Amino acid sequence: MSLLSGLRGGSDVGFDSYGTFVPERNPDPGPFLSETAVLTGDDHATFHRLTMDLFDERGVYDMTFGYNLARLNLDHRHPDAGFRYGRETDDSSVLRAEFTPTTEFCPQSDTLTVGAFRAWNGLSDRHEYDRVRVRVSPNHHQSASINDKLQQLETRYRQTGELRTDGGDEASDDSVPF
């Protein structure tokens, strides 16, 4: 259990339930998901509930809002932010996840997407996917460099099974616990 597990963001007023998928309060699927079977309805809600648990265990928290990053999808104040998911059509054992931050200048996007990648893939025995690929939406001003880093991390993971090395692919904040 994470040391941050109590920081789930106050009351539930202004938040959807983890058991629901409300399309108008989720970001539209972006280009990273364009050639996938995008999860909607119960499929999205089921994976997102699991995401909440994995992020809680691994400490993937949005410090701006003080809650588990998975909760962003449920926050009525930010209907165009959060994660969307899609199964690769040529390999259903691979899930793609695209993160849309609340602003194009979100300073945590690098750290949050690397943390999400490590949580999903480091706890892959808890879900049906062999691998979860992660990218940040192109609306973020540093999406190209963040996505390059995520692609390198993914390539190394696919080749070695390792999520972390002493190399230079770490999130920009050296204090990141994951």
Side-chain angles (χ1 to χ4, degrees):
M1 176 176 257
S2 167
L3 294 173
L4 301 173
S5 62
L7 296 177
R8 288 210 179 144
S11 75
D12 287 335
V13 174
F15 291 89
D16 294 319
S17 162
Y18 277 102
T20 62
F21 173 70
V22 182
E24 58 272 8
R25 287 202 285 272
N26 277 270
D28 290 332
F32 187 59
L33 303 180
S34 66
E35 296 182 20
T36 68
V38 175
L39 302 187
T40 59
D42 288 341
D43 291 335
H44 175 94
T46 299
F47 189 76
H48 204 67
R49 273 192 308 275
L50 173 68
T51 293
M52 188 274 300
D53 292 340
L54 300 181
F55 284 8
D56 193 44
E57 187 170 326
R58 290 293 176 107
V60 184
Y61 281 77
D62 186 315
M63 291 303 147
T64 300
F65 302 116
Y67 57 59
N68 179 318
L69 181 59
R71 195 156 192 208
L72 180 58
N73 277 65
L74 312 173
D75 192 332
H76 295 184
R77 296 170 298 177
H78 305 289
D80 297 323
F83 281 98
R84 289 301 302 269
Y85 314 106
R87 281 186 200 95
E88 289 194 357
T89 53
D90 60 340
D91 185 354
S92 62
S93 71
V94 177
L95 185 76
R96 291 185 183 197
E98 186 173 60
F99 175 65
T100 302
T102 56
T103 71
E104 62 191 39
F105 300 103
C106 173
Q108 296 182 74
S109 291
D110 180 7
T111 303
L112 293 172
T113 53
V114 169
F117 176 85
R118 289 183 176 149
W120 282 316
N121 290 294
L123 298 169
S124 61
D125 60 323
R126 307 258 297 273
H127 56 75
E128 64 189 276
Y129 301 102
D130 293 339
R131 186 176 39 160
V132 179
R133 301 176 65 198
V134 181
R135 299 295 186 271
V136 68
S137 170
N139 74 346
H140 190 276
H141 77 291
Q142 293 181 327
S143 63
S145 64
I146 293 169
N147 288 337
D148 285 348
K149 178 189 298 187
L150 289 163
Q151 186 172 18
Q152 291 171 10
L153 187 61
E154 173 189 319
T155 298
R156 189 181 64 242
Y157 176 66
R158 195 173 56 247
Q159 292 172 346
T160 68
E162 295 294 320
L163 289 171
R164 183 178 188 156
T165 67
D166 295 331
D169 70 341
E170 303 302 315
S172 22
D173 181 354
D174 292 335
S175 67
V176 176
F178 33 81

